[in-house]
Amino acid sequence: MSKIKRTDHRRRRFIQGAVAGAAITAFAPSRFAIGGTAKVKVGILLPYSGTYAFLGEKITAAMKFAIAQAGGKLGGRDIEFVQLDSEAKPPKATENTNKLITGENVDFLVGPVHSGVAMAMAKIAREENVITIVPNAGANQLTGPLCAPNIFRTSFSNWQPSFPSGKVVYDDGHRNVVTMAWNYGAGKQALGGFSQGFEDAGGKIVKQILTPFPKVEFQAYLTEIAALKPDAVFVFYAGGGAIKFVKDYAASGLKDKIPLYSSGFLTEGTLKAQGAAAEGIKTTLHYSETLDNPANRIFRPAFEKATGKSADVFAVQGYDTGLLLLQAMNAVKGDTGAQKEIITAMENAVIDSPRGKWTFSAAHNPIQDFYLRQVVDGQNKVLGIAHKALSDLAKGCRMG
Ligand code: BEZ
């Protein structure tokens, strides 16, 4: 379907709904006043099974929570959410994205968590010109060579949270470091960000270890690290894999000998399960549950009360996705056909987030603070700001 046809279709759906609402008005005047237009369709492609399942659940719950708090509508229109389980499986991403875009003709697409899924999804979203909000997947390419006017990310690029850790580890006195991650785009790019920051400061990467995704058999690699005797270890793991890695690292006896660092996903939404094994781990991330700002103080208890889920960075990214949709759709009074105006509203959005206020870069990625955190008494305690207002490098991004 051509770009123009898709936009026309959305506008037609909006107008037909409005006309239907107006017709009903003659018999029931209050009906139009409460919004007689067709529902806004929001397609969601997130993992609800596998190692990233709880990330997908938190993002979904928090996005819906943000919209519910604002009255449950987008630009005055009711919403239909169409939800698919991505399973965090890149081979299924093309079919799933087509189901939402072509099969369901969604107005907006939200997803995914996994960078490999994001690569396939973004290519289709670009071709089909559907406004897409990425609430987690950090694939650098999405705000680099694959950037597009209709693609926005409310989370981070993989480079972003890891880059500040490089200087932190160097400043802690470590010079020789082993890095380790799942062997796919997010893992490799996270290690790339760390290595850049660490080597710029003067440190040396002794060895980079890549392990198959989503496997969690780490023992052989931990034995190798013990033999290498680096000053410190930096890793990227998230979700269920992060829980297992932190427990295995402590059980292997390495925790007391070689300090463990990571981007903050290692200790997000996982601390209860990791227990004492996580104590002392230092990470850098764009959120912490202990951030003392008004938005975070209000968000955490309200989200937890409404959903029964604990708030973490994934919930915050979902919440901010909801806030972005609300701002953009209010700006066009619900007209999903006004794509140019929606994009302008998104580009100019200021998100008053629990992570701190943030805005979009020219490549549509958050410009945001990265906090240095340490696990103390089962919480990611903020030690300071590791990098203020960090923007993604956006290498190769040409909008237009
Ligand atoms: C990713 O695949 O981009 C990703 C997954 C989980 C946490 C962070 C990044």
Side-chain angles (χ1 to χ4, degrees), residues 126 140-148 394-398:
R126 272 166 66 107
N140 292 341
Q141 296 92 327
L142 300 194
T143 47
L146 285 183
C147 77
K395 270 189 202 151
C397 170
R398 308 242 179 296

Side-chain angles (χ1 to χ4, degrees), residues 2 107 287 357 364 374:
S2 80
D107 296 299
Y287 180 68
K357 271 198 182 117
H364 295 178
Q374 183 164 35

Side-chain angles (χ1 to χ4, degrees), residues 20-264:
I24 291 164
T25 307
F27 303 99
S30 64
R31 183 79 184 271
F32 188 71
I34 59 165
T37 52
K39 288 182 180 174
V40 180
K41 262 195 174 184
V42 179
I44 305 175
L45 183 59
L46 287 167
Y48 302 110
S49 57
T51 199
Y52 287 159
F54 85 77
L55 285 66
E57 279 156 15
K58 296 267 180 99
I59 291 167
T60 308
M63 176 177 72
K64 291 182 179 175
F65 170 69
I67 295 169
Q69 262 194 326
K73 290 175 191 269
L74 289 175
R77 293 169 63 184
D78 287 329
I79 308 161
E80 181 183 350
F81 293 105
V82 186
Q83 227 163 288
L84 277 188
D85 181 4
S86 73
E87 303 168 54
K89 286 189 178 156
K92 296 198 171 172
T94 299
E95 189 190 336
N96 281 333
T97 306
N98 281 330
K99 268 188 201 160
L100 291 172
I101 292 184
T102 313
E104 293 287 344
N105 196 34
V106 297
D107 296 299
F108 296 97
L109 191 55
V110 173
V113 158
H114 184 289
S115 279
V117 174
M119 293 296 287
M121 184 173 152
K123 277 180 196 142
I124 303 170
R126 272 166 66 107
E127 277 160 25
E128 296 290 338
N129 202 27
V130 176
I131 296 188
T132 298
I133 307 177
V134 180
N136 187 77
N140 292 341
Q141 296 92 327
L142 300 194
T143 47
L146 285 183
C147 77
N150 61 310
I151 296 179
F152 290 81
R153 176 155 53 198
T154 52
S155 51
F156 53 88
S157 75
N158 288 322
W159 175 87
Q160 258 182 323
S162 295
F163 174 70
S165 275
K167 190 165 180 316
V168 166
V169 173
Y170 188 87
D171 288 348
D172 277 355
H174 307 302
R175 298 295 177 262
N176 297 304
V177 165
V178 169
T179 60
M180 182 166 161
W182 268 321
N183 188 10
Y184 81 98
K188 289 190 272 191
Q189 293 177 346
L191 297 191
F194 170 79
S195 301
Q196 187 184 334
F198 186 58
E199 287 171 346
D200 282 356
K204 185 170 170 231
I205 306 296
V206 181
K207 175 141 197 191
Q208 173 178 286
I209 298 172
L210 296 173
T211 69
F213 175 87
K215 294 213 168 100
V216 293
E217 283 80 40
F218 299 121
Q219 199 47 56
Y221 309 105
L222 297 176
T223 305
E224 190 183 351
I225 290 173
L228 287 165
K229 293 192 177 57
D231 299 336
V233 172
F234 178 88
V235 302
F236 166 84
Y237 290 102
I243 296 172
K244 177 75 166 35
F245 181 83
V246 166
K247 285 181 149 183
D248 284 4
Y249 196 82
S252 72
L254 288 177
K255 178 174 159 40
D256 299 325
K257 293 188 196 125
I258 307 174
L260 179 60
Y261 293 82
S262 177
S263 55

